[in-house]
């Protein structure tokens, strides 16, 4: 079994198989690892980080066997081998890591990783022909029906139709990229976005697909595709719409609603092409008649498409291609991870002290880390306050995650009094003010450890009126009334408190979840 070369940041949830042999590179920066748990790690964790943490490999890298495990509650924080793992209340899946002693295997893995970079560089001359349709930049998964419902004969007609759509899209290095997943009893990713960038190769790959048969577990396949298909390792590109086109003959055998929710959370635009929809006599067998409306990106008519049969479908190709190339209609591309501006307002008063101030910065880093920070994505800003205010960096100063995290690390502790109200007004005006034309949703996270000397209610109300959602995070002596007065409605879910600064770490997932919940509700 050859091992796959992975990066320092590949997470457990990026892997496809139950058990997979991977090769970790050497010299990963230990402080950048995100690891949750000990022995059993939440699948959010970096695989190589977990492997070093558990002592399976050193920072020199090496081969690791990753075993997928069910989710659990209360992943513990343990410091081991130079890595501090973090607490996580619960996560949907986990993994464990074990060592592999097999030098031949490592050699195979190494040759893969060293051969990697050359694949992307084509000689310049050939690019123009191969660039494809630049006006239709999209990463598309065709989720085809391979169930007994459709049968072998119509399966072949479906392949012909998908092939025609793929040809008309104008696939190319600079244009759309496509992959195919087959839904039956279990989903199977037939090929990824990165496997072919020429239309002819794609067409050939579609022709070669074999019919699997089984129940039409479209929900299971849609969820799997939304979660696993669009990783950067598999060729998904930054800032380009992700689309799944679901082909369904008849109706799904499983529940598709939850899969639709997952796809929206992952920023994927789901289209459903339903063929031969259930007749009146068949409706009794359909577990959810509204299955199309529940799975599509938006129930506005744009994302659903009907064909009466698989015969004579040529006239349906062009209208579908036009939909897939309508960039501005892809309403689900925006997610809480890539479409928010988060400002942190940091109490720098003398009661906090140097070492606790470090814990505050760590908390901010861990929240910021969860978001996709870029010039077209989410943005982060920070202001420190005592009686005075200092903009540490504004939303437009840094457009990469590395630079933002490094700027947070370099914030110097001011030490002084506490005028939180003034600081909120300052931030609303000077930090959020210049962003008023930004399409992103605005959030302010206020961190304080004590009573404010001025009124917080007025400034917080003004910030909320300006479209900023406020989360208040109090530590130690911060009065609950102040925290609630600052927080957005419903106040209970926007107010956080911990006695000790070490308790901040456990709030990280809740703050991220709160931001995402507000974001989704604002989009409904």
């Amino acid at each position: 079994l050859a091992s796959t070369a992975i990066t320092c940041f590949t997470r457990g949830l990026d892997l496809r198989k139950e058990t997979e042999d991977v090769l970790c590179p050497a010299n990963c920066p230990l402080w950048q690892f995100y690891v949750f748990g000990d022995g059993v790690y939440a699948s959010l964790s970096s695989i190589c980080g977990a492997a070093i943490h558990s002592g399976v490999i050193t920072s020199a890298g090496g081969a690791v066997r990753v075993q997928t495990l069910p989710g659990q509650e209360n992943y513990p924080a343990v410091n081991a081998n130079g890595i501090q793992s973090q607490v996580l209340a619960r996560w949907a899946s986990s993994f464990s890591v074990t060592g592999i002693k097999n030098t031949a295997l490592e050699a195979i893995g190494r040759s893969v990783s060293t051969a990697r970079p050359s694949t992307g560089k084509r000689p310049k001359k050939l690019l123009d022909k191969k660039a494809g349709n630049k006006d239709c930049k999209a990463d598309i998964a065709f989720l085809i029906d391979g169930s007994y419902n459709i049968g072998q004969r119509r399966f072949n007609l479906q392949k012909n139709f998908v092939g025609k759509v793929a040809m008309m899209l104008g696939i190319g290095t600079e244009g759309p990229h496509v992959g195919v997943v087959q839904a039956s009893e279990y989903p199977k990713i037939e090929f990824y976005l990165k496997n072919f960038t020429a239309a002819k190769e794609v067409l050939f790959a579609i022709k070669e697909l074999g019919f699997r048969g089984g129940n039409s577990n479209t929900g299971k396949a849609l969820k799997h595709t939304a979660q696993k298909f669009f990783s950067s390792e598999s060729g998904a590109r930054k800032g380009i719409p992700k689309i799944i086109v679901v082909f369904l003959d008849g109706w799904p055998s499983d529940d598709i609603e939850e899969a639709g929710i997952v796809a929206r959370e992952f920023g994927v635009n789901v289209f459903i092409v339903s063929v031969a929809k259930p007749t009146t006599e068949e409706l009794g067998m359909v577990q959810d008649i509204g299955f199309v409306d529940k799975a599509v990106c938006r129930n506005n008519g744009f994302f659903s498409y009907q064909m009466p049969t698989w015969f004579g479908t040529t006239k349906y190709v062009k209208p579908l291609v036009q939909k897939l190339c309508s960039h501005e209609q892809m309403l689900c591309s925006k997610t809480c991870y890539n479409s928010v501006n988060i400002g942190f307002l940091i109490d720098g008063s003398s009661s906090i002290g140097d070492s606790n101030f470090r814990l505050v910065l760590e908390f901010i880093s861990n929240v910021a880390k969860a978001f996709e920070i870029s010039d077209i994505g989410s943005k982060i800003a920070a202001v420190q306050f005592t009686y005075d205010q200092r903009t540490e960096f504004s939303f437009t100063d840094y457009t990469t995650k590395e630079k933002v995290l490094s700027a947070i690390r370099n914030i110097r502790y001011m030490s002084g009094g506490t005028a939180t109200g003034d600081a909120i007004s300052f931030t609303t005006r000077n930090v959020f003010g210049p962003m008023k034309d930004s399409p992103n949703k605005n959030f302010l996270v206020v961190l304080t450890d004590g009573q404010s000397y001025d009124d917080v209610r007025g400034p917080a109300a003004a910030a909320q009126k300006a479209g900023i959602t406020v989360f208040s995070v109090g530590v130690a002596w911060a009065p609950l009334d102040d925290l609630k007065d600052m927080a957005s409605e419903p106040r209970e879910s926007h107010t956080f408190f911990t006695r000790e600064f070490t308790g901040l770490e456990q709030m990280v997932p809740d703050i991220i979840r709160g931001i995402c919940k507000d974001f989704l509700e604002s989009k409904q």
Side-chain angles (χ1 to χ4, degrees):
L1 189 76
S3 61
T4 321
I6 58 171
T7 71
C8 301
F9 305 112
T10 305
R11 302 169 299 180
L13 50 81
D14 297 326
L15 293 189
R16 308 271 174 284
K17 306 190 186 95
E18 293 290 308
T19 308
E20 193 153 346
D21 291 345
V22 298
L23 193 68
C24 287
N27 306 324
C28 288
L30 294 188
W31 56 269
Q32 285 187 353
F33 278 133
Y34 231 151
V35 178
F36 301 89
D38 179 38
V40 173
Y41 300 94
S43 62
L44 204 55
S45 312
S46 146
I47 294 168
C48 300
I52 295 174
H53 183 265
S54 64
V56 169
I57 56 169
T58 64
S59 54
V64 177
R65 180 158 292 164
V66 184
Q67 175 71 42
T68 305
L69 300 168
Q72 61 171 44
E73 302 202 341
N74 304 326
Y75 294 91
V78 173
N79 197 332
N81 301 317
I83 293 178
Q84 173 64 55
S85 76
Q86 302 181 44
V87 170
L88 193 60
R90 66 172 62 83
W91 195 253
S93 57
S94 321
F95 66 87
S96 63
V97 282
T98 47
I100 311 170
K101 291 285 160 276
N102 179 344
T103 42
L105 199 150
E106 298 208 74
I108 295 166
R110 290 254 153 74
S111 65
V112 171
S113 65
T114 47
R116 268 281 163 73
S118 62
T119 51
K121 298 269 180 282
R122 284 227 172 82
K124 266 285 175 276
K125 253 193 355 256
L126 305 171
L127 261 181
D128 307 335
K129 249 198 199 130
K130 298 202 166 166
N133 179 5
K134 291 183 185 168
D135 297 330
C136 181
K137 267 202 158 160
D139 286 343
I140 304 171
F142 290 118
L143 180 52
I144 61 173
D145 189 338
S147 69
Y148 292 139
N149 272 0
I150 191 169
Q152 179 77 59
R153 180 180 178 206
R154 294 198 305 246
F155 180 77
N156 288 335
L157 293 170
Q158 173 183 230
K159 287 201 308 191
N160 291 345
F161 180 74
V162 173
K164 285 177 188 161
V165 172
M167 288 307 280
M168 194 177 244
L169 279 168
I171 292 165
T173 49
E174 303 294 310
H177 291 180
V178 307
V180 170
V181 182
Q182 186 173 168
S184 53
E185 195 70 45
Y186 299 100
K188 177 174 186 234
I189 297 179
E190 302 282 3
F191 59 90
Y192 288 101
L193 295 164
K194 66 172 180 196
N195 293 119
F196 310 109
T197 48
K200 288 235 167 35
E201 298 171 344
V202 169
L203 194 60
F204 182 74
I206 291 172
K207 282 205 162 69
E208 292 294 295
L209 296 176
F211 173 62
R212 290 170 70 81
N215 278 322
S216 88
N217 288 333
T218 313
K220 189 187 265 183
L222 177 54
K223 188 174 169 184
H224 181 76
T225 308
Q227 290 174 324
K228 302 285 193 199
F229 181 83
F230 294 100
S231 69
S232 51
E233 289 87 13
S234 321
R237 296 167 290 176
K238 229 189 179 136
I240 286 177
K242 305 181 181 79
I243 299 173
I244 299 176
V245 187
V246 180
F247 291 93
L248 235 181
D249 188 298
W251 59 90
S253 336
D254 62 351
D255 172 50
I256 199 168
E257 184 173 9
E258 191 210 344
I261 294 168
V262 169
R264 290 190 283 278
E265 273 181 6
F266 276 79
V268 177
N269 299 275
V270 176
F271 284 79
I272 291 207
V273 178
S274 50
V275 185
K277 61 176 198 204
T279 62
T280 328
E281 296 83 58
E282 288 172 327
L283 280 177
M285 297 186 262
V286 183
Q287 73 172 47
D288 185 354
I289 296 169
F291 66 85
V292 172
D293 293 345
K294 289 181 176 163
V296 288
C297 159
R298 286 281 189 285
N299 186 4
N300 60 2
F302 181 76
F303 294 94
S304 46
Y305 196 66
Q306 285 193 346
M307 303 195 299
T309 76
W310 288 108
F311 297 95
T313 52
T314 308
K315 62 176 176 294
Y316 292 98
V317 173
K318 193 171 178 190
L320 179 58
V321 168
Q322 281 166 339
K323 280 180 186 255
L324 299 181
C325 292
S326 307
H327 208 137
E328 67 295 339
Q329 301 274 352
M330 301 300 163
L331 303 173
C332 287
S333 294
K334 295 211 167 298
T335 67
C336 72
Y337 298 109
N338 66 20
S339 304
V340 294
N341 300 324
I342 306 173
F344 291 98
L345 185 52
I346 311 161
D347 185 339
S349 60
S350 40
S351 52
I352 289 183
D354 236 333
S355 61
N356 284 335
F357 190 73
R358 291 283 120 212
L359 291 173
V360 170
L361 296 185
E362 209 167 284
F363 165 79
I364 294 167
S365 290
N366 286 337
V367 173
K369 231 183 238 177
F371 294 87
E372 293 164 32
I373 302 163
S374 73
D375 50 345
I376 54 171
S378 291
K379 311 222 178 341
I380 308 284
V383 173
Q384 189 179 171
F385 70 96
T386 50
Y387 280 141
D388 219 358
Q389 306 86 28
R390 180 169 82 199
T391 302
E392 302 289 356
F393 55 92
S394 76
F395 285 122
T396 48
D397 285 344
Y398 303 112
T399 53
T400 70
K401 193 177 290 193
E402 294 68 48
K403 286 188 174 149
V404 164
L405 295 178
S406 137
I408 294 172
R409 270 198 307 279
N410 290 324
I411 291 175
R412 295 285 156 258
Y413 174 42
M414 281 164 79
S415 186
T418 313
T420 316
D422 259 358
I424 293 173
S425 303
F426 171 89
T427 309
T428 304
R429 188 172 60 247
N430 298 327
V431 178
F432 285 98
M435 301 302 284
K436 64 177 185 301
D437 296 329
S438 161
N440 289 0
K441 185 164 168 51
N442 292 321
F443 291 90
L444 175 63
V445 179
V446 183
L447 281 113
T448 179
D449 83 322
Q451 175 93 46
S452 176
Y453 295 124
D454 59 2
D455 167 60
V456 294
R457 191 176 291 179
Q464 291 167 30
K465 204 169 176 178
I468 302 166
T469 302
V470 182
F471 283 88
S472 60
V473 178
V475 189
W477 305 107
L480 205 56
D481 291 347
D482 268 14
L483 296 174
K484 285 209 164 122
D485 283 344
M486 291 188 281
S488 288
E489 297 282 352
R491 299 208 158 142
E492 277 57 50
S493 61
H494 291 80
T495 307
F496 292 86
F497 177 77
T498 170
R499 272 264 158 261
E500 307 286 337
F501 281 88
T502 48
L504 283 171
E505 190 175 27
Q506 285 160 344
M507 292 180 186
V508 171
D510 297 327
I511 299 270
I512 296 165
R513 219 171 283 133
I515 290 173
C516 285
K517 191 165 179 286
D518 287 346
F519 177 85
L520 280 171
E521 281 166 10
S522 75
K523 290 283 167 241
Q524 290 313 317

